[in-house]
Amino acid sequence: MAAEPCFAPIVPPEIFINICQDLPPADLLSLARVCKKFYGYLSSTYSTTTQEIWRNSRIKFIPQIEMSPPEGMDERLYAKLLFERGCQFCGKSRVRRVYWAFLVRCCKPCLEERTMRLDQIRRDLLSQNSIPDDILSGLTHTTSYYKWGWDRSPKNRPANLYWIEDVRKSYSEYIQLPVEARKAWLISKRKEGHRRMEDVAKREIEHENAYWSKTENNEKKREERASSIENLIRKDKNEYGFPRFKMTVVEQCMIYNKAMMSSSTHPFTERAWIGFRNKLITEHDKIVSAHRVQRQATERRFSYYVALQTRQMDVVKTCFELLRPETEIRNIYSNGNSNNNNNNTQSLSTISTPISTSNSTSQSQSIFESELIKFLPWCHSFREPPFVNNNPSTLWDDQFLMGTYIPLLRTEALHLKNDPNDLTVIGRAVLDNGLSNKRIFRCKLCHDQQTDIKEQLYSFFEVRLHLIKSIHEVKYIYDYMIIVVPEVFENSENAQLIPRSKPEIFFAVGFNCNLIVNL
């Protein structure tokens, strides 16, 4: 099959000019390498149209570079110096340093090879013929170390570097002048050198500012790219409407960390997300499986009630993962002692507010709502979870947890919300606003033992603390251990003992989590 003809040779010049008006300098440099005709269009030194194309592109896309090209350089060569990468002499890649004193972009070894220090010029050239240093005053120069800055020997101290070809040209021009004309020549060169060094200083400052401006802009693009990747990961749902990825696990994935550390400034496209997501699922699931095996081995040593409370709090945490970003979930389970001293009546409802951002989906909200979480301690399936082989140390798989167990708990919690009469006496007293903090509860165990403290009244939190910390040392609190005394409600006082941390808040509203607080 014959190759299709190239359209480049038949593009009219006026259309080519219109195309070039919207291209940045880097793309113009690439376009000039497409074919000879395009190279001819963009490389004409004497064409005002060509120079206008390059100048407009530089002003439009690189507004930080306001200075015109240096003397003797056209707009195209100026763009090559600014936007191409690599040493102009040895071809070493990733070299971007431009020495404006010499109008070259080169690596340090090539610079050392093509420049001379002032002390070398004096020793090898000027002193032999008693020629003054003033012949160098018309030349541009830069200052640099040839070796380490800590080496204080005269050979390695900083000194002015001059371009060897410029030095030889100036030397040749000086010695060819008549003696009577040399003084005027030196004066004019001194003025010329002063003007040129001022131009070099301005270009170095402008180039430095443009570099940092571009660096800052690229950093913003990288942050936006990383943010878009993270948002896509957080929004991705599995077949049950749950977040597919756990960020604590994702942060351990190599492909995620590689993407976060990428230097690319290109937007993260949908096509890139498909490939990235497939690789992330594989690595994420592998890490989750390894954690599951490790956790399973650890929890086999737990006692029955520790394992039971662990499973229950796994359910609570899963419900919260539907409602809040994971950064907020972490705050619920950590830093528990901060900013709680003024919350005298804080309850679970204050930490179960649903997210109001656009990231939440109607599907996840329909599985479990935040207002139902406070009913979980009173749900039958939550109190007596359906363990695998009646062993609480065996973890549920995701299919059962998300597809069966969570929807069952939601149904029971929704029923208790709509029909409060089906709540236990303790549940109605706790969920009735204001009663949980009233001292209207007694310890049934103390009452049965006919002890001297059988008439002691507690708040719900206090009576639960009494059960686990007193001589009873209860591991798992059941309703029959607590007595409600509603007839003392009118004269009862508010409790002075209040929760201080997030785990205690969960414990105070009815969740049995006292055995796993320090796990």
Side-chain angles (χ1 to χ4, degrees), residues 66-88:
E66 298 179 352
M67 297 183 68
S68 300
E71 183 179 349
M73 180 178 290
D74 61 21
E75 287 283 355
R76 185 183 71 88
L77 295 178
Y78 191 35
K80 286 174 63 68
L81 185 65
L82 287 171
F83 302 106
E84 286 188 345
R85 295 291 178 263
C87 178
Q88 293 178 262

Side-chain angles (χ1 to χ4, degrees), residues 116 118-132 135-136 164 166-172 175:
M116 292 182 66
L118 178 59
D119 55 338
Q120 292 176 319
I121 297 173
R122 288 171 177 170
R123 183 184 67 249
D124 300 337
L125 189 63
L126 303 184
S127 61
Q128 298 178 1
N129 301 292
S130 300
I131 296 177
I135 70 165
L136 304 176
I164 294 177
D166 292 344
V167 172
R168 291 174 177 172
K169 181 179 178 181
S170 181
Y171 173 79
S172 176
I175 62 176

Side-chain angles (χ1 to χ4, degrees), residues 454-484:
K454 63 181 180 180
E455 300 297 330
Q456 178 71 39
L457 293 174
Y458 304 93
S459 70
F460 187 63
F461 180 45
E462 288 173 333
V463 72
R464 289 170 64 80
L465 286 180
H466 166 76
L467 287 168
I468 67 172
K469 293 186 176 181
S470 66
I471 58 175
H472 308 307
E473 293 185 352
V474 173
K475 301 300 183 183
Y476 193 88
I477 302 172
Y478 294 94
D479 284 357
Y480 69 81
M481 300 177 183
I482 302 173
I483 302 174
V484 180

Side-chain angles (χ1 to χ4, degrees), residues 6 27 59 63 73 88 224 230 272 301 316 361 363 378 417 422 485:
C6 179
D27 290 346
I59 293 175
M73 180 178 290
Q88 293 178 262
E224 291 174 358
E230 187 165 334
R301 301 190 296 268
V316 175
T361 62
Q363 185 180 10
W378 322 105
K417 175 190 174 185
D422 285 348
V485 190

Side-chain angles (χ1 to χ4, degrees), residues 99-111:
Y99 295 92
W100 292 102
F102 313 128
L103 300 181
V104 296
R105 183 185 62 256
C106 65
C107 59
K108 189 174 181 180
C110 290
L111 178 71

